């Protein structure tokens, strides 16, 4: 949970995220039931001025549980985000250059109501949303997909969009702590990717 989500909520229509949160509101209404969960873009993030897109998979359970105070934010206090911050700290990449978002912007749940991972159909359903987001990121220099679903969604966009935004891609393992195999290597790879992203932003 964010330290002061109400403060962020009061600023969701301000620069640099106002236009992005208009997209988020549109995506909420575009689902089969005309209401699906999409978190807010973080007004304390880079917003439309982002040079680095940190592309995750889909909103996590804590973000979904926060409801209207749910943000896709590097300030989130969940295990996955803590791992990302752990890699950011030793890197030279300024978090103020980064936009954290999800390749599937809306929550995905199975028949049991529990969160599930994106499938190919989900990635394709979300591809127009990714295209709309990238059209707003005029300063984008690099994309860092975190995890196989994020990488697959990004590659589908690059190879299926008519006029994709083509920038360097530095793919790394998903930072979830449940992915225990080669955890230290994953952290090293993520830190190295963020270091290289910092170089690309110079």
């Amino acid at each position: 949970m964010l330290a002061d989500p109400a403060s962020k909520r009061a600023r969701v229509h301000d620069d640099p995220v106002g236009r992005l949160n208009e997209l988020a509101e549109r995506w909420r209404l575009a689902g089969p039931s005309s209401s699906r969960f999409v978190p807010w873009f973080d007004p304390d993030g880079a917003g439309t001025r982002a040079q680095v897109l940190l592309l995750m998979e889909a909103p996590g359970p804590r973000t979904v549980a926060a409801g209207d105070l749910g943000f896709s934010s590097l300030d989130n206090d969940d295990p996955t985000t803590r791992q990302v911050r752990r890699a950011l700290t030793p890197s030279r990449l300024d978090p103020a250059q980064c936009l954290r978002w999800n390749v599937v912007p809306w929550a995905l749940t199975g028949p049991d109501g529990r969160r599930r991972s994106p499938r190919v159909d989900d990635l394709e359903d979300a591809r127009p949303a990714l295209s709309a987001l990238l059209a707003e990121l005029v300063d984008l220099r690099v994309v860092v997909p975190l995890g196989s679903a994020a990488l697959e969604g990004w590659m589908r966009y690059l190879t299926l969009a008519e006029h994709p935004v083509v920038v360097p891609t530095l793919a790394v393992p998903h930072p979830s702590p449940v992915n225990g195999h080669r955890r230290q290597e994953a952290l090293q790879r993520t830190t190295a990717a963020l270091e290289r992203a910092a170089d690309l932003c110079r």
Side-chain angles (χ1 to χ4, degrees):
M1 188 70 176
L2 299 175
D4 190 4
S7 171
K8 288 184 186 286
R9 177 64 180 85
R11 295 180 284 119
V12 296
H13 294 299
D14 296 346
D15 287 335
V17 292
R19 289 167 63 180
L20 302 184
N21 279 321
E22 288 176 10
L23 290 176
E25 290 176 314
R26 194 181 312 161
W27 296 330
R28 289 171 190 159
L29 298 175
S33 62
S34 296
S35 66
R36 58 186 172 191
F37 177 83
V38 177
W40 297 108
F41 288 87
D42 183 3
D44 293 323
T48 55
R49 296 192 288 266
Q51 294 180 280
V52 179
L53 176 60
L54 302 176
L55 196 60
M56 309 289 282
E57 295 186 353
R62 292 193 188 184
T63 302
V64 175
D68 190 53
L69 295 178
F71 290 83
S72 181
S73 172
L74 286 170
D75 294 335
N76 285 354
D77 186 23
D78 60 77
T80 294
T81 307
R82 287 197 294 269
Q83 286 292 98
V84 175
R85 288 199 302 267
R86 187 178 172 201
L88 261 172
T89 299
S91 79
R92 291 173 290 104
L93 182 62
D94 185 346
Q97 297 174 288
C98 302
L99 177 67
R100 178 196 166 158
W101 195 241
N102 299 295
V103 69
V104 178
W106 41 83
L108 297 173
T109 56
D112 59 358
R114 300 182 66 181
R115 180 183 182 274
R116 64 173 178 81
S117 298
R119 302 167 182 149
V120 172
D121 287 349
D122 300 312
L123 297 173
E124 185 59 22
D125 188 30
R127 186 160 58 86
L130 184 57
S131 294
L133 170 62
L134 290 162
E136 301 289 343
L137 305 184
V138 297
D139 295 323
L140 189 67
R141 296 290 180 269
V142 59
V143 173
V144 181
L146 293 108
S148 57
L151 177 60
E152 174 68 12
W154 174 241
M155 287 297 142
R156 291 183 65 83
Y157 161 78
L158 286 178
T159 56
L160 292 173
E162 189 172 351
H163 300 291
V165 175
V166 180
V167 296
T169 299
L170 298 167
V172 297
H174 192 281
S176 172
V178 301
N179 296 334
H181 184 59
R182 293 187 176 272
R183 182 179 299 175
Q184 188 59 35
E185 179 187 277
L187 179 63
Q188 292 172 346
R189 286 181 57 189
T190 304
T191 301
L194 299 179
E195 286 273 4
R196 289 173 185 144
D199 291 337
L200 290 166
C201 292
R202 286 181 174 179

